[in-house]
Amino acid sequence: MIVIGIETSCDETGIGIISDKKILSNVVASQEDIHSVYGGVVPELASRAHLSRIDNIFKIAIEKSGIKIEDIDLIGVTNHPGLKGSLLVGVSFACGLAYKLKKPIYFVNHLYSHIAVNFLNENIEFPALGLVISGGHTSFFYIENYINFKEIGKTLDDACGETFDKVGRILGLSFPGGPYIEKEAEKGDEKKIRFPVPSNLKDLNFSFSGLKTAVLYYVKKYGKENISDICASFQKTIVDYLCMKIKTSLKKYNVKSFLLGGGVISNQYIQRRIREILKDEVKVYIPEKNLCLDNGVMVAVMSYYLNKYGIPADENRIKVIPTK
Ligand code: KG4
Ligand code: ZN
């Protein structure tokens, strides 16, 4: 079964091709160069960039995979959540492909895909808990099996990655701030500054905006001379908070596995800390770095499982009006 996954929900144009659970190609065009001057993703520019790049990314993904276009059995595309204009580009492209090839298409949830990429080459024991920590979302899921996900908590304000990016901007770092903060933090002392841990610890929702404001006030008062200490202390506070929430989730739900996903979990320090608190509790799954960040393979994997467990494919919504 050859599955192509198409991802354009934010600022990465990603196309991935898998053969059952083997990755044949994974091509991602990032738009960091376009958005970095604005310090955040500009939706209009993102959709235009997807439009001008998607044909080429598709060609490269096919070439790298070694298959012919006609070999594709199944098409998956992210259709929510995300930036509407950006999603539209991927969905239109996927519908056109499905129409041309006369193959089934699945419209896939972006957050489920971030979790599902852990299913590659693994036999997961269910039930499981999932945590997606990305630029646009921070959400807990109770996962019954490969296709049933229930959101059981989410951020009430900023997402975790968004907080990294906004703090990066406060500190004058490049966009997206996450990887730059991780790098700076390696040189800093994480105990130097005590930022407040957000206080709602009993439920599974998150709130990050207070922490972002605390960093802003710190920088206004003391400046950013000790940028490495600020980054290390901020990063530690974020992980302390994530770890407390993860512990709460394990008290509420009896599970066998814990699946992580999303761009923020590519951070090595965060991975280490989370693995540490989970090591005697459940089996932990974290995708490799390029599969944590937005990509098409994760969409292909989710679609593969929807098909495998008999979920009917979505209708191809492109209708061709015959010309006279
Ligand atoms: O999952 P993703 O690629 O896109 C969304 O679905 O949002 O995540 C992007 C987010 C950005 O906010 C970025 O700053 C963050 O992931 N990120 C990181 C790291 N690498 C990427 N955050 C912290 N540490 C990193 N090393
Ligand atoms: Zn994402």
Side-chain angles (χ1 to χ4, degrees):
M1 163 76 57
I2 295 199
V3 188
I4 184 165
I6 299 172
E7 160 59 44
T8 62
S9 67
C10 190
D11 59 340
E12 257 97 30
T13 317
I15 298 195
I17 300 175
I18 59 173
S19 171
D20 291 336
K21 291 183 354 177
K22 183 169 175 273
I23 298 177
L24 300 183
S25 66
N26 180 24
V27 184
V28 179
S30 150
Q31 300 178 8
E32 267 174 42
D33 51 333
I34 297 173
H35 303 290
S36 58
V37 280
Y38 302 97
V41 176
V42 183
E44 174 71 19
L45 297 181
S47 40
R48 285 177 190 277
H50 285 305
L51 197 56
S52 66
R53 293 172 183 195
I54 196 162
D55 282 340
N56 208 25
I57 300 300
F58 175 71
K59 273 188 209 133
I60 300 170
I62 293 286
E63 263 166 40
K64 285 198 168 170
S65 70
I67 62 158
K68 293 194 291 303
I69 297 179
E70 306 77 58
D71 296 335
I72 295 170
D73 297 304
L74 193 68
I75 296 151
V77 61
T78 307
N79 80 335
H80 73 293
L83 301 171
K84 294 284 180 278
S86 293
L87 288 164
L88 188 62
V89 176
V91 169
S92 306
F93 188 90
C95 285
L97 191 62
Y99 181 78
K100 164 88 173 89
L101 298 178
K102 302 198 172 19
K103 295 291 175 183
I105 185 167
Y106 284 101
F107 298 115
V108 172
N109 179 306
H110 179 73
L111 303 184
Y112 298 177
S113 302
H114 267 305
I115 297 285
V117 78
N118 286 295
F119 301 161
L120 274 173
N121 308 317
E122 300 281 1
N123 289 318
I124 311 281
E125 279 191 76
F126 294 104
L129 277 168
L131 178 58
V132 175
I133 328 173
S134 73
H137 300 88
T138 309
S139 293
F140 271 114
F141 293 94
Y142 180 75
I143 306 164
E144 240 167 53
N145 52 41
Y146 287 103
I147 55 167
N148 284 325
F149 297 66
K150 185 175 164 218
E151 195 175 59
I152 51 171
K154 62 179 178 181
T155 183
L156 303 174
D157 43 51
D158 293 348
C160 186
E162 185 183 0
T163 311
F164 267 94
D165 298 340
K166 287 179 175 167
V167 165
R169 191 153 68 181
I170 292 167
L171 297 173
L173 297 171
S174 299
F175 174 83
Y180 296 97
I181 289 179
E182 179 180 15
K183 233 191 189 124
E184 278 296 336
E186 282 165 15
K187 299 176 270 169
D189 177 358
E190 65 178 31
K191 298 207 176 85
K192 202 71 176 229
I193 307 157
R194 282 189 62 169
F195 290 120
V197 177
S199 58
N200 63 333
L201 296 176
K202 293 209 180 93
D203 64 22
L204 296 180
N205 292 323
F206 294 92
S207 168
F208 291 98
S209 65
L211 175 58
K212 171 193 67 187
T213 310
V215 177
L216 177 68
Y217 283 135
Y218 178 91
V219 171
K220 276 192 172 166
K221 196 163 176 188
Y222 302 105
K224 50 184 186 194
E225 291 287 88
N226 56 343
I227 189 164
S228 306
D229 294 338
I230 301 175
C231 288
S233 304
F234 161 75
Q235 190 175 258
K236 175 186 183 298
T237 311
I238 287 259
V239 189
D240 287 349
Y241 183 49
L242 291 173
C243 288
M244 285 181 219
K245 287 286 178 178
I246 289 172
K247 279 187 187 155
T248 306
S249 73
L250 289 173
K251 275 192 202 133
K252 286 184 190 274
Y253 294 90
N254 190 8
V255 293
K256 297 188 173 131
S257 314
F258 206 105
L259 312 170
L260 291 124
V264 178
I265 200 66
S266 67
N267 180 306
Q268 293 302 304
Y269 170 84
I270 298 182
Q271 283 195 19
R272 207 167 50 243
R273 293 272 319 269
I274 291 181
R275 279 192 195 281
E276 182 63 31
I277 60 148
L278 287 175
K279 74 175 191 298
D280 299 324
E281 304 274 348
V282 282
K283 191 133 196 256
V284 183
Y285 297 89
I286 297 180
E288 62 182 67
K289 185 174 174 156
N290 63 340
L291 297 177
C292 290
L293 298 157
D294 287 352
N295 65 85
V297 166
M298 66 188 201
V299 184
V301 177
M302 189 69 240
S303 308
Y304 170 85
Y305 277 95
L306 290 170
N307 179 69
K308 181 169 173 179
Y309 288 98
I311 302 298
D314 294 282
E315 232 180 278
N316 181 353
R317 287 170 199 168
I318 291 196
K319 301 264 181 288
V320 175
I321 302 163
T323 47
K324 284 183 191 154

